[in-house]
Amino acid sequence: MSQQFPAIFIADSAGLDFLNSVATPVDVPIDWLDDGAGLLAWLEQSRLVPAEVVAAMRERAMPGELDRLAAQARSLREWFRAFVREHKGHPLQAADLIGLEPLNLLLARDEGFGKIVARQQRASAALNFERSRRWTSPESLLLPIGEIMAKLVCEEDFSYVKACEGPTCTLLFADHTRGHARRWCSMSACGNRAKQAAHRNRVRKRS
């Protein structure tokens, strides 16, 4: 079911897009991480993991290994969803760090390293420093997810982390609009449905 719809990336924040990897785009809830194949597809669509790494993991994983990894990703997502929903609407404080210990434990597994590479486009310098990581096992696929979660809590003002006001919508987003007036996951989806509902109410009141 998860592969019938492309994954949703409307949150203006990669960490919140991860939480939105389960949603109800039409009538039926869809979990894009429902199994190992779904997790790999989502990672590739999100561009968190290079396509060649996804292909290698798909080829060399043991039977059931990726499905177990997807279950870990879902557990991580739901734990983080509870944290975000509890703290959205106001800035995070230093004391909130205690609630992020599971995330720090995940980040501690990282085997990241820096390297010097040639720039692909013309620039003032021919070389560039970039971060990379060793993809030593399927579990390493969780590390870029942990990184975007960490960036969310460290770089995003939680005052403007919001839940869509659609009555059945579960999507979260970072409101970066001028005046921070965003109310909907998308104007073409929940926003449009709200306008149609308001129009029907006006017509009903006039009749």
Side-chain angles (χ1 to χ4, degrees), residues 106-170:
L106 171 60
L107 294 170
R109 302 182 205 167
D110 203 345
E111 294 186 66
F113 60 94
K115 63 181 179 180
I116 300 170
V117 298
R119 288 187 183 271
Q120 298 301 311
Q121 298 177 345
R122 290 185 180 180
S124 57
L127 303 176
N128 191 37
F129 179 81
E130 68 177 32
R131 299 294 301 174
S132 188
R133 58 171 40 94
R134 296 176 179 87
W135 305 96
T136 55
S137 68
E139 283 72 22
S140 63
L141 296 174
L142 295 180
L143 296 174
I145 294 176
E147 189 172 290
I148 61 172
M149 293 162 62
K151 287 182 177 178
L152 173 65
V153 298
C154 294
E155 299 175 4
E156 196 68 56
D157 186 343
F158 262 52
S159 300
Y160 307 118
V161 171
K162 299 180 178 180
C164 177
E165 294 183 18
T168 61
C169 188
T170 61

Side-chain angles (χ1 to χ4, degrees), residues 10-206:
I10 54 83
D12 211 12
S13 161
L16 295 176
D17 281 329
F18 173 59
L19 296 186
N20 292 341
S21 61
V22 60
T24 309
V26 185
D27 298 315
V28 180
I30 295 176
D31 191 338
W32 280 270
L33 312 183
D34 61 351
D35 58 18
L39 172 63
L40 292 185
W42 186 86
L43 286 170
E44 197 164 9
Q45 289 178 62
S46 66
R47 300 183 180 179
L48 288 179
V49 179
E52 62 271 19
V53 173
V54 171
M57 291 293 182
R58 186 181 288 117
E59 184 175 329
R60 74 186 192 207
M62 300 293 289
E65 190 173 20
L66 293 176
D67 287 343
R68 289 190 292 273
L69 185 66
Q72 292 180 48
R74 293 193 301 272
S75 294
L76 179 67
R77 181 186 63 196
E78 297 316 308
W79 162 77
F80 193 53
R81 183 192 307 283
F83 178 90
V84 171
R85 285 195 170 275
E86 179 183 353
H87 293 88
K88 69 179 177 65
H90 54 82
L92 292 178
Q93 306 296 323
D96 296 322
L97 176 62
I98 192 170
L100 293 167
E101 183 61 21
L103 179 53
N104 271 335
L105 291 174
L106 171 60
L107 294 170
R109 302 182 205 167
D110 203 345
E111 294 186 66
F113 60 94
K115 63 181 179 180
I116 300 170
V117 298
R119 288 187 183 271
Q120 298 301 311
Q121 298 177 345
R122 290 185 180 180
S124 57
L127 303 176
N128 191 37
F129 179 81
E130 68 177 32
R131 299 294 301 174
S132 188
R133 58 171 40 94
R134 296 176 179 87
W135 305 96
T136 55
S137 68
E139 283 72 22
S140 63
L141 296 174
L142 295 180
L143 296 174
I145 294 176
E147 189 172 290
I148 61 172
M149 293 162 62
K151 287 182 177 178
L152 173 65
V153 298
C154 294
E155 299 175 4
E156 196 68 56
D157 186 343
F158 262 52
S159 300
Y160 307 118
V161 171
K162 299 180 178 180
C164 177
E165 294 183 18
T168 61
C169 188
T170 61
L171 297 178
L172 296 159
F173 57 85
D175 183 0
H176 295 154
T177 62
R178 182 177 298 179
H180 304 291
R182 182 177 172 184
R183 300 174 59 194
W184 316 108
C185 60
S186 168
M187 282 306 300
S188 62
C190 288
N192 189 50
R193 284 194 284 269
K195 287 197 295 185
Q196 291 176 347
H199 174 71
R200 287 194 296 270
N201 285 336
R202 288 194 297 269
V203 171
R204 191 178 303 116
K205 288 177 181 179
R206 289 198 299 263

